[in-house]
Amino acid sequence: MWADTSVKLGNMFGAVAGFLGVLLLLFYLAGFARGRLSRRLAILFLLGPAVLLLLVGIVVPAVRTIYLSLYNEDSTKFLGGGNYTWAFGNSDIHQVLLNTLLWIVIAPILTTGLGLVLALLVDRLRGQAVYKSLIFMPMAISFVGASIIWKFVYAYRDPSQPQIGLLSQICMWLGWHHPPNWILSHPLNNFLLMIIMIWVQTGFAMVVLSAAIKAIPEDVTEAAVLDGAQGWRLFSNVTIPMIRSTIIVVLTTVMITTLKLFDIIRTMTGGNFGTQVLANEMYSQAFTEFNNGRAGALAVLLFLAVVPLVAYNVAMLRKEREVR
């Protein structure tokens, strides 16, 4: 086992070293070029490796995935759109798509809204850097780590036994002596899992929105105050319009993260108890059911869902940059 691992590591490091060696050789040869040729070679040598890596790492796998989605589980029989028909005609996949839709609607909105509220509140406190660091800290934890933490929060035991789950114990302190098994309770479990995503991502939303609020020109705010805008009117008529593009960027960024959601579901429930989402179903089809065709079809659907959000996000960033 260790011998195979060492061979694989050696091959990997050898490939990286070879790639870097070729780059250095190309840059060395480019140094001898003169005139227009030197500019063209510089562009070729600087962009070439990036384009090559893009092709090898993204384009080729994407084309391969689309190809697999058109065939059966072992790619021996062409099905055309059969796997896509299965995806849209299967009741279990309907539940998966519904869960995914709930995630991409509820989690990003609550995350962005909570981040905005915290940005407004924390900016008014003394020692705001400390509070922001504490709120942002969950971002340093992986989704797997966060899921393990919250697994203890949602842990369930029979009411006759000592509780190790924080939520169950709080319920019993408040007089609810028979709390449910939180992870098994559908559809409640989906919303409880969303809390993990919100907990992790709220710090990101708060920091970005706080920076956007601080970037609002003071003369704009002062002019609004002189016109009688205070409190909610100032917030709704001045603050929100001035940071609208940032809000949209944060919202779409969290949506993209949510669409690719895998770690939380895999760690907490494995996709059971009515909590399955698209990314985890894709993994299950590929590595549990060993059906590359269906996994490829789900991957293509996930890709098609993410691309518009990414494109819109890029467009908003460009628009914001032009305004600045």
Side-chain angles (χ1 to χ4, degrees):
M1 177 180 176
W2 289 109
D4 293 340
T5 303
S6 61
V7 170
K8 291 178 180 178
L9 288 174
N11 292 337
M12 181 184 71
F13 286 119
V16 172
F19 181 74
L20 293 176
V22 171
L23 281 182
L24 291 175
L25 178 61
L26 291 176
F27 290 145
Y28 176 76
L29 294 175
F32 291 100
R34 295 291 182 269
R36 293 183 178 180
L37 180 61
S38 64
R39 176 178 173 80
R40 292 175 181 175
L41 286 177
I43 293 174
L44 175 63
F45 292 158
L46 290 173
L47 293 181
V51 173
L52 179 62
L53 290 175
L54 189 66
L55 288 172
V56 174
I58 297 179
V59 177
V60 173
V63 173
R64 174 68 175 168
T65 301
I66 295 172
Y67 170 82
L68 290 174
S69 72
L70 302 176
Y71 284 79
N72 64 344
E73 62 273 8
D74 55 359
S75 303
T76 57
K77 182 180 179 181
F78 181 75
L79 299 180
N83 290 318
Y84 297 95
T85 303
W86 164 83
F88 288 108
N90 188 292
S91 59
D92 292 335
I93 302 301
H94 291 168
Q95 183 63 52
V96 170
L97 294 174
L98 177 60
N99 289 343
T100 305
L101 181 62
L102 287 174
W103 272 87
I104 63 175
V105 170
I106 296 174
I109 291 176
L110 291 181
T111 299
T112 307
L114 186 57
L116 179 58
V117 171
L118 289 173
L120 292 169
L121 295 178
V122 174
D123 283 345
R124 299 181 180 182
L125 299 176
R126 295 178 61 184
Q128 57 177 276
V130 176
Y131 296 112
K132 285 183 178 180
S133 298
L134 292 174
I135 296 171
F136 188 79
M137 195 174 294
M139 278 291 294
I141 305 173
S142 68
F143 281 128
V144 173
S147 300
I148 292 173
I149 292 172
W150 281 86
K151 216 166 190 178
F152 287 103
V153 175
Y154 297 143
Y156 172 82
R157 279 186 176 180
D158 188 89
S160 61
Q161 299 178 358
Q163 297 296 316
I164 62 170
L166 179 62
L167 184 57
S168 294
Q169 185 61 63
I170 291 174
C171 289
M172 295 188 73
W173 282 339
L174 295 176
W176 187 6
H177 298 296
H178 296 280
N181 190 329
W182 306 103
I183 297 301
L184 299 184
S185 302
H186 180 75
L188 176 63
N189 49 8
N190 280 301
F191 298 101
L192 294 177
L193 296 181
M194 290 179 196
I195 291 175
I196 304 173
M197 169 70 77
I198 295 169
W199 180 67
V200 172
Q201 293 289 315
T202 295
F204 159 75
M206 178 200 66
V207 169
V208 175
L209 293 172
S210 175
I213 292 171
K214 289 183 177 180
I216 298 175
E218 290 186 6
D219 54 348
V220 174
T221 305
E222 291 172 357
V225 172
L226 290 175
D227 288 339
Q230 294 288 341
W232 173 253
R233 286 184 59 194
L234 181 64
F235 174 72
S236 60
N237 295 326
V238 177
T239 304
I240 291 296
M242 293 294 292
I243 65 170
R244 180 179 288 115
S245 59
T246 305
I247 291 175
I248 294 174
V249 168
V250 171
L251 189 65
T252 52
T253 301
V254 179
M255 277 186 178
I256 293 169
T257 304
T258 305
L259 264 174
K260 299 183 294 181
L261 177 72
F262 169 79
D263 316 61
I264 295 174
I265 301 299
R266 200 73 195 173
T267 305
M268 295 292 289
T269 65
N272 299 311
F273 320 123
T275 62
Q276 187 70 296
V277 292
L278 195 56
N280 193 61
E281 179 65 24
M282 176 188 69
Y283 176 90
S284 298
Q285 289 294 332
F287 300 107
T288 303
E289 303 295 333
F290 300 104
N291 193 320
N292 291 329
R294 291 180 176 179
L298 294 176
V300 171
L301 293 177
L302 186 61
F303 174 76
L304 293 176
V306 169
V307 165
L309 292 174
V310 173
Y312 184 74
N313 217 351
V314 171
M316 290 301 301
L317 287 172
R318 286 180 178 175
K319 183 178 179 181
E320 186 176 358
R321 194 174 300 165
E322 290 173 358
V323 171
R324 291 179 180 177

